[in-house]
Amino acid sequence: MSTKKTIAQPPEKFTGIILEDASTGAAGPKAVKSALQHIKSEVGMVKGVKVLNRLNQFDGFDCPGCAWPDPNEKRAFLAEYCENGAKAVAEEATKKKAGPDFFAQHSVAELGQWSDFELGKSGRITHPMIKRAEDSHYRPIEWDEAFDLMGKQLNALESPDQAIFYTSGRTSNEAAFLYQLFVRQFGTNNLPDCSNMCHESSGTALSETLGIGKGSVTLDDFDQAEVIVVMGQNPGTNHPRMLSALRDARQQGAEIITVNPLPEAGMMNFRDPQTPKDWIGGGTDLTTEFVQVKINGDLAFLKAVTYLLLQEEKKNPGTVFDHSFIETKTQGYESFIKELETINFSSLCEDAGISEEQVKRCANILMHRKKIIICWAMGLTQHKNAVGNIQEVVNLLLLKGSIGKPGAGTCPVRGHSNVQGDRTMGIWEKPKPAFLDKLDETFGFKSPREHGLDVVESIEHMHRGKAKVFFAMGGNFLSATPDTELTAEALKQCELTVHVSTKPNRSHIIHGKTALILPCIGRSETDIQSSGAQFITVENSMSVVSKSRGDIAPCSNHLLSEVAIISRLAQSTLGSRSQVDWAGMAANYDNIRNSIEKVIPGFENFNQRIRQKGGFRLPNNAHAGDFSPTSTGKANFTVNKWEGKKLDKGRYLMMTIRTHDQYNTTIYGLDDRYRGIKNERRVVLMNAEDMKEEGLKLLDLIHLKSHFQGEIRRAEQFLAIPYDIPRGNVATYFPEANVLVPIGLKADKSNTPASKSVEVSLEKA
């Protein structure tokens, strides 16, 4: 038996850093080369090209990466995907396999010494696996035995609320609907999901102000926009196909304001991989005004801009604000203006870390334009004041009458490909009564009404021993969540942990007394059930529901679909207590869609409409200019007071970020090409003047400590790198730095971990 200690965090080892100049633009031939290299190494060119030709096509499968929408009409004959989409497919279709022999060769303790990159590169899991308390290794288990074990464990709980059912954003609509149906018939609303860690702040803010937790724009709106503001987002790495929409808008005359602490290459210049002339030409400069705010300086920036707009409106009434829209469509304008009158413009600019002159330039861009789209991602949602950040975005748009009109509106850019669809399907710990009523009416049972646990609350409950079973439908929970060591201790408290997965990850290494890994088919693979080949559906960032059908053979004959896994879990757990035809649902996914149609508004004639080319868009009241679902029946202005925080000398505000070779917790490689950092992840990006003041030189070894309410957390062995980042700020990659994010540091109202507002100090090794 191995004597190595299983560790929760990625190992503190270096892989040989190579530094280059940061890129001044994104995509182009390097993106094509990188995509093909990943395809060649993981899949092989023949199979790889075949798979890619089906990616994001009308009759193909949806990218398992991001949720950026596909074009409504024409799809590219080849390459209707981005570099990171190709990487995601390469990971899923890989020839490498992690079967019983792999797990027999490597103990859990040994795998704990591997990095997340090494674990992910092990290959596809081919058989259901189990690790019991006395075992050092995972061993194969038959599916029947696994379902019997899970059913008995769940039924032995004192209360259904002692079980937690997590969901990843890659789960299909069909699987998500069936999953929440099972969980609620089991008797709990403990349905945390990855939204809790990313756009929960967006959903909270938008629901309160506009009556819907989704963005209001469509892809067509980008073609009509006069101004696009991109805040707290790095599309070049996280949503590369968004760059095409921005390029088209820019070429049609739209101004693009980019607000971010880091100058990201993708927002500076875009060279379209599908346009050969861009390969040798200069591409398209996207950003017309780069606003380099300090970390969490966005609210101060927005209030400063809005203040200047107010001053101009007072000088020339009716020329800046849309008073007709404000009077007929909104509530709370007077209170909002009263608070805005009291602000100190100079102080806000200082807190935001930008000059008054630049704020004036941005205000002038917005002053007399109304077709305005504001996009954002984690840079706005992962702060204590995250909900306020997004509500201030809404305030600005409401003043301009820029919601519910062509070329204007809100655009929260979602992450995983169906994270929005999962929430639509009922994956939420705080379900609305109307949804539960329809669920009960359709399936003949009484759903629990008490709100369940979100991600942070789930970790806290497991840590206190209040939850005994943790079931994850996809994802890598440990690497995605904050406070790594505390989360690891929480998972270890469970009697049973279960992960539905395609590849090994760190969550398989830190587990309960008994641990199961259930392998499922991937998005690109054929899904054959008793009635024949099935397709699934997904919902993108702009509420379009489309079908997805894989067509390559599954990597193993021992895989089940997510739907089949849920169906059999429900049968083994609920037995005669349930009147749902679980087997029939799994046999033909049309049956699931028929049920979705009965429960969720907007899915009328689901099976008929989803078979139409391109699918269909769900109703969106904000897009239609209807704000009646809010508490006031109108769009609501909100007062979001800015409370700037001054850090003591020697303290920095840290944000966690991704590399270019990474999508969420999946690490495709060790390069961050656009930032000029290769073959290394344990780095800290710092302002050169801060490094000088700290007595640090390039690649000096440092340790990090986070400070929160008297608690200290440590992350050791990082290399200091000077970078173009505001003074007092540092950036590190996750999951390596997640250990520094306190479980108690979270956004007001949304409870989202504030992973981009962590107070740290540095210690030279």
Side-chain angles (χ1 to χ4, degrees), residues 16 65 117 150 157 206 295 303 335 426 604 630 645 670 697 726 753:
F117 171 65
M150 289 185 287
L157 297 175
L206 294 173
I295 292 174
K303 292 183 81 68
S335 297
E604 296 78 11
T630 70
K645 181 179 180 180
L670 297 176
K697 300 186 296 296

Side-chain angles (χ1 to χ4, degrees), residues 172-183:
S172 70
N173 287 331
E174 290 72 18
F177 183 82
L178 212 61
Y179 190 44
Q180 64 81 30
L181 175 61
F182 158 65
V183 171

Side-chain angles (χ1 to χ4, degrees), residues 501-722:
S501 304
T502 57
K503 305 182 78 174
N505 64 54
R506 191 157 297 279
S507 295
H508 303 152
I509 309 307
I510 304 297
H511 49 72
K513 295 179 177 62
T514 301
L516 285 169
I517 305 174
L518 307 181
C520 64
I521 65 170
R523 188 75 62 81
S524 61
E525 295 172 326
T526 53
D527 183 352
I528 306 294
Q529 301 300 327
S530 60
S531 68
Q534 305 297 311
F535 67 83
I536 58 169
T537 64
V538 295
E539 178 187 349
N540 65 33
S541 260
M542 296 179 185
S543 302
V544 175
V545 180
S546 60
K547 68 178 181 179
S548 174
R549 188 197 300 270
D551 70 343
I552 64 172
C555 72
S556 165
N557 293 327
H558 300 274
L559 308 184
L560 294 180
S561 72
E562 289 180 325
V563 166
I565 290 172
I566 297 163
S567 170
R568 293 186 61 180
L569 174 63
Q571 292 175 73
S572 66
T573 305
L574 301 176
S576 60
R577 287 179 288 161
S578 175
Q579 302 305 308
V580 175
D581 182 8
W582 299 101
M585 295 275 205
N588 188 332
Y589 297 178
D590 277 358
N591 295 330
I592 305 176
R593 288 185 282 270
N594 286 335
S595 295
I596 292 171
E597 176 182 331
K598 295 175 182 177
V599 175
I600 304 174
F603 285 88
E604 296 78 11
N605 301 314
F606 191 2
N607 274 309
Q608 178 183 348
R609 289 196 293 156
I610 199 60
R611 286 173 165 85
Q612 298 172 357
K613 190 175 182 180
F616 59 91
R617 190 167 193 257
L618 293 172
N620 187 299
N621 62 274
H623 178 74
D626 170 21
F627 309 111
S628 58
T630 70
S631 60
T632 64
K634 293 187 175 183
N636 293 311
F637 281 96
T638 52
V639 174
N640 307 292
K641 294 188 177 181
W642 168 246
E643 298 177 358
K645 181 179 180 180
K646 302 296 183 183
L647 297 178
D648 294 338
K649 184 177 175 59
R651 298 284 178 89
Y652 299 87
L653 201 61
M654 181 194 82
M655 63 176 179
T656 60
I657 58 175
R658 303 170 181 165
T659 71
H660 188 63
D661 265 356
Q662 176 179 0
Y663 195 78
N664 290 346
T665 59
T666 302
I667 299 171
Y668 304 129
L670 297 176
D671 294 346
D672 197 356
R673 188 173 77 241
Y674 293 154
R675 297 189 183 111
I677 302 167
K678 294 189 173 183
N679 204 44
E680 187 56 73
R681 296 184 53 82
R682 300 194 71 83
V683 300
V684 179
L685 309 185
M686 293 186 64
N687 182 281
E689 291 300 312
D690 286 337
M691 287 185 63
K692 183 178 179 181
E693 192 169 292
E694 292 278 356
L696 295 173
K697 300 186 296 296
L698 173 67
L699 300 184
D700 271 356
L701 185 63
I702 59 175
H703 307 315
L704 297 170
K705 291 193 297 185
S706 69
H707 304 266
F708 177 74
Q709 297 181 351
E711 303 169 357
I712 303 294
R713 291 164 176 80
R714 292 180 62 88
E716 301 188 342
Q717 301 286 97
F718 287 82
L719 300 172
I721 296 178

Side-chain angles (χ1 to χ4, degrees), residues 466-478:
K466 292 186 176 182
K468 301 297 184 182
V469 174
F470 177 81
F471 190 105
M473 182 56 64
N476 179 359
F477 188 78
L478 179 62

